[in-house]
């Protein structure tokens, strides 16, 4: 199962500002991200242990560094405009699904 939230949309009475959380579940492990805790919880089946991957106090710093490097190296950033487009398509499909009460297909595939 894949889920995705591409906005900061929350009702005014939501108990936490932002709620920057994500959980990725794969065949060999789980990654849980809480953007305000400044670390990733990594559960790796091969390593048979849990560990923290700390990123510091600015979760956007790696994105900015990658963008600056991409400009310097004349390459696309790791996360491209196409990735952003697909994220918006998923969000729009979720809104259409919520409004209609039906599943809405999203075109898949890579560019």
């Amino acid at each position: 199962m894949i889920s995705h939230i591409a906005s900061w949309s929350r009702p005014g009475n939501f108990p936490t500002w932002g709620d920057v959380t994500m959980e990725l579940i794969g065949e060999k492990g789980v990654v849980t991200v809480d953007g305000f805790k400044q670390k990733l919880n990594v559960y790796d089946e091969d390593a048979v242990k849990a560990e923290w991957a700390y990123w510091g106090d600015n979760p956007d710093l790696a994105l900015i560094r990658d963008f600056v490097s991409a400009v310097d190296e004349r390459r696309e950033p790791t996360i491209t405009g196409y990735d952003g487009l697909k994220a918006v398509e998923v969000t729009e499909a979720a809104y259409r699904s919520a409004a209609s009460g039906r599943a809405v297909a999203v075109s898949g595939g890579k560019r």
Side-chain angles (χ1 to χ4, degrees), residues 18-99:
D19 185 34
V20 186
T21 59
M22 180 172 35
E23 186 170 70
L24 307 169
I25 302 170
E27 292 178 3
K28 293 187 175 185
V30 176
V31 175
T32 302
V33 181
D34 182 331
F36 293 124
K37 291 190 178 172
Q38 303 174 4
K39 63 180 174 56
L40 303 176
N41 295 327
V42 181
Y43 303 96
D44 184 344
E45 181 140 326
D46 292 335
V48 194
K49 67 177 184 173
E51 57 189 349
W52 288 349
Y54 179 73
W55 69 63
D57 61 358
N58 186 347
D60 295 325
L61 187 58
L63 293 172
I64 294 166
R65 284 182 175 155
D66 180 66
F67 178 78
V68 170
S69 294
V71 171
D72 284 345
E73 298 166 13
R74 301 184 192 284
R75 62 169 175 81
E76 277 197 4
T78 302
I79 300 172
T80 67
Y82 183 76
D83 297 322
L85 172 66
K86 299 312 278 182
V88 169
E89 288 176 359
V90 168
T91 300
E92 289 178 343
Y95 285 134
R96 287 194 309 274
S97 176

Side-chain angles (χ1 to χ4, degrees), residues 3-25:
S3 63
H4 168 83
I5 298 174
S7 75
W8 292 81
S9 300
R10 294 282 190 262
N13 62 347
F14 194 76
T16 305
W17 175 85
D19 185 34
V20 186
T21 59
M22 180 172 35
E23 186 170 70
L24 307 169
I25 302 170

